[in-house]
Amino acid sequence: MKIGILISGRGSNMVALVDAVKSGEIPASEVAVVISDNADASGLDRAKERGIEAFAIERKGRTREEHDAEIVAVLRERGVELVCLAGYMRLLSPLFVQAFPGRIVNIHPSLLPAYPGLHVHERVIAAGETRSGCTVHFVDELLDHGPIILQREVPVLPDDTPETLAARILEQEHPTYIEAVKKIVLATENTG
Ligand code: GAR
């Protein structure tokens, strides 16, 4: 399975996926390319250090569709079959979603469908929730939305700050994303 990963920032989920592919924990796969919408994303260097082709495609005053079309063209050129969003902080246009039907996945740090979007941990704490977590899901045209593949729960503790809660969830994100991608790869192998 040729995997393309999109990031916007530090890319810790991307690193978890790359390392799991390299170790064989995610079998029969290759990370073909890592693309960021932001040239300053520190994840680009972390991908390059691991020998993965990685570069930015910035929007630069273009429409969302033009930007997405360029990313789709690169992913197709590299033969990408599965697109993993890993902290990619842009909503995909319908053009992008339709270019890889059922082949785009995302990770989000909440128990979706609750708390899509930004400032998740602040909102979870403000609402007095006692549990939160992370979700890996197939991507549709709505923000942080689509069929759920895996979820993992963590407690929200009384003295949590957004930072402590984010860190507790991030620790669960990495193994959850690996397990979800592995599940997709195995399911694809079985159906040919
Ligand atoms: C992760 O917590 C991920 O779940 C979140 O951004 C962070 C990226 O961290 N994604 C979203 O909020 C998507 N709506 P990373 O760059 O270290 O993987």
Side-chain angles (χ1 to χ4, degrees), residues 64-78:
R64 195 153 63 100
E65 285 71 20
E66 286 163 350
H67 182 223
D68 279 0
E70 187 180 341
I71 296 173
V72 165
V74 169
L75 294 170
R76 285 204 166 126
E77 239 170 58
R78 303 300 189 281

Side-chain angles (χ1 to χ4, degrees), residues 9-14 86-89 106-109 117 144 170 173:
R10 72 189 157 186
S12 73
N13 278 289
M14 174 276 295
Y88 186 67
M89 303 310 271
N106 179 42
I107 186 153
H108 183 74
D144 298 321
L170 191 67
E173 288 187 45

Side-chain angles (χ1 to χ4, degrees), residues 6-16 42-43 46 85-90 106-110 112 115-121 133-135 137 143-144 166 169-170 173-174 177:
L6 303 194
I7 62 170
S8 296
R10 72 189 157 186
S12 73
N13 278 289
M14 174 276 295
V15 166
S42 59
R46 301 175 81 184
L85 308 184
Y88 186 67
M89 303 310 271
R90 273 180 196 280
N106 179 42
I107 186 153
H108 183 74
S110 77
L112 292 175
Y115 302 100
L118 297 174
H119 311 299
V120 176
H121 311 299
C134 61
T135 305
H137 65 96
L143 182 66
D144 298 321
I169 293 174
L170 191 67
E173 288 187 45
H174 301 158
Y177 214 169

